[in-house]
Amino acid sequence: MKFGVETVDKKSFCKSCGKELKIEVPNQIFNFCPFCSAPLNLVAYNFVKEKDKKIKLQASKEILESFKSQEAAQAVKQYLEKISKE
């Protein structure tokens, strides 16, 4: 996904989907494209990346928590061995 706004002939377009952004209010700042929800500025882009990082961190914590049980770790190990042979 690309982020940002492209300006051509005083018209603004989303770099991700290419649709024209109709700016009704002078100096109005869009954070996200109203058509495809792509971030249009660095603040919004960083917000999306930070949210993605938090989701991945939470998933990692949950996986590590499940490995505290020897039975769960053994089951995952057996499953990985099984699919690696296929």
Side-chain angles (χ1 to χ4, degrees), residues 3 30 35 48 52-53 65 69 71 82 84-85:
F3 83 94
F30 284 99
F35 303 104
V48 169
D52 188 46
K53 191 181 345 176
E65 189 66 31
S69 161
E71 292 135 6
K82 178 182 174 187
S84 67
K85 292 177 185 176

Side-chain angles (χ1 to χ4, degrees), residues 5-14 20-23:
V5 176
E6 182 177 3
T7 304
V8 178
D9 296 328
K10 296 186 180 181
K11 291 183 180 181
S12 298
F13 299 90
C14 171
E20 183 180 353
L21 302 170
K22 305 274 187 191
I23 299 176

Side-chain angles (χ1 to χ4, degrees), residues 19-68:
K19 296 207 176 176
E20 183 180 353
L21 302 170
K22 305 274 187 191
I23 299 176
E24 305 287 326
V25 180
N27 300 322
Q28 180 179 2
I29 296 174
F30 284 99
N31 287 321
F32 297 94
C33 175
F35 303 104
C36 71
S37 300
L40 297 176
N41 58 43
L42 194 56
V43 172
Y45 179 75
N46 287 337
F47 174 79
V48 169
K49 289 297 178 188
E50 189 63 29
K51 188 174 181 180
D52 188 46
K53 191 181 345 176
K54 286 179 183 178
I55 290 170
K56 288 177 181 175
L57 181 61
Q58 182 62 35
S60 298
K61 285 179 181 177
E62 289 175 12
I63 290 168
L64 289 173
E65 189 66 31
S66 71
F67 279 109
K68 288 185 178 180

